[in-house]
Amino acid sequence: GVNLSMDSNNIKVNVQGNELRDAPLNRDGGSLLNSNVWLDTRQLIYVPAGTGGYASDRWYTAGGLLEVGGYLGNQGHRIGEWAAQGGTVTLGGAEVVTQAGSNVNLSGGTINVATGYINQTWLTGSNGQLYNASQAPANLSYTGVYQGFEDLHARWGKTATAYYSNPLIGPQRL
C-alpha cells in the first residue's frame, strides 16, 4: 500500500503573470502579483495538451484564476507514491474481446492517508467578499490576499498596518 499524509495535497504558489495568464483582469491589475497562496491539489482541473491551442498540459484552479502546471512538476513526492505495487489480471479462454475505448485497470492495493492539515489562502474580491484561492473565479478582480482584520495606523500609514486573522472568517488551515 501507499502511505500519504494529508499535507501532500497542498501546494504553495507564488503568483506571477504566468500563473494569471488566462485571467487578464487580475494579471493587469497586479493586486495578486508576488503573493504566496496555498492551493488544494485535489481541486485542480486538468486541461490536456492541444486544448485552446496550448502545446502542453495545464492545471487550473477550480475557478480558472491560476494555472499552476509548472508548480506541480516541482512538487516533491515520497518514494511510496512511486513504488506502489500494482496487481495482476488473468485472462482465460480462446480470446478476449473488449469494446473500443475500454480499459483494463491494473491498479489496486491500498492508500493510507494520514491526518494532517490543508493550508488555504483567501482572496479579497473587489466586491468585498472572500474567496478560497483554490476555487476563486477568474472573471472577478481581487484586491489582494486576505490577511485578517486590517488596522490601518492613522499616523504611520500602510507600512504600520496590523492584521488580525479570525479562523471563523477565513480559516488558514483545515
Side-chain angles (χ1 to χ4, degrees), residues 50-150:
T51 307
Y54 283 93
S56 60
D57 294 343
R58 290 168 289 149
W59 288 90
Y60 286 92
T61 52
L65 180 64
L66 302 170
E67 197 287 318
V68 297
Y71 277 86
L72 293 178
N74 296 330
Q75 190 177 27
H77 293 275
R78 295 176 177 84
I79 187 66
E81 292 178 65
W82 302 119
Q85 294 294 315
T88 59
V89 174
T90 303
L91 303 172
E95 63 181 320
V96 175
V97 179
T98 62
Q99 296 295 321
S102 65
N103 295 318
V104 177
N105 187 347
L106 299 177
S107 65
T110 61
I111 296 179
N112 179 24
V113 180
T115 59
Y117 292 102
I118 295 291
N119 294 314
Q120 50 185 9
T121 301
W122 297 87
L123 306 177
T124 306
S126 56
N127 60 3
Q129 294 189 33
L130 296 182
Y131 295 86
N132 189 312
S134 291
Q135 300 148 356
N139 61 350
L140 179 69
S141 69
Y142 299 91
T143 59
V145 172
Y146 175 73
Q147 300 177 61
F149 172 74
E150 190 173 309

